[in-house]
Amino acid sequence: QFNITWQDNVAVNIALIEFNGINYTMSQNGNEYYQTFADLPVGNYNYYFWANDTSGNNNKTDLFASEMVKRNV
């Protein structure tokens, strides 16, 4: 699960994660936004978060990288 907290002085309109070049609208719980990706295969993934508020302002994070590795059970 990928999480971010967005705060705005009025209201966040939409929060997204761009994950390996595809935009996903994130679910919300208060100021916390989250996206779950089930069963990601082993590999490297790039992503960033971005949001738009009800006044038309945008913001985004830096690009992040994550590596999924095989877990021994």
Side-chain angles (χ1 to χ4, degrees):
Q1 187 175 61
F2 294 80
N3 303 312
I4 190 164
T5 300
W6 288 110
Q7 293 182 322
D8 189 76
N9 64 337
V10 179
V12 173
N13 182 44
I14 190 169
L16 297 104
I17 181 172
E18 183 178 293
F19 191 82
N20 270 15
I22 300 173
N23 288 325
Y24 298 89
T25 301
M26 302 180 77
S27 299
Q28 178 184 4
N29 183 6
N31 287 333
E32 182 180 332
Y33 296 83
Y34 58 94
Q35 178 68 40
T36 301
F37 297 100
D39 301 322
L40 284 175
V42 170
N44 295 307
Y45 298 92
N46 295 309
Y47 61 96
Y48 68 88
F49 301 99
W50 64 279
N52 174 272
D53 69 11
T54 55
S55 300
N57 301 304
N58 297 301
N59 200 355
K60 71 176 186 173
T61 66
D62 291 331
L63 182 68
F64 297 101
S66 184
E67 179 182 11
M68 302 301 162
V69 296
K70 184 176 180 180
R71 183 175 69 160
N72 294 326
V73 283

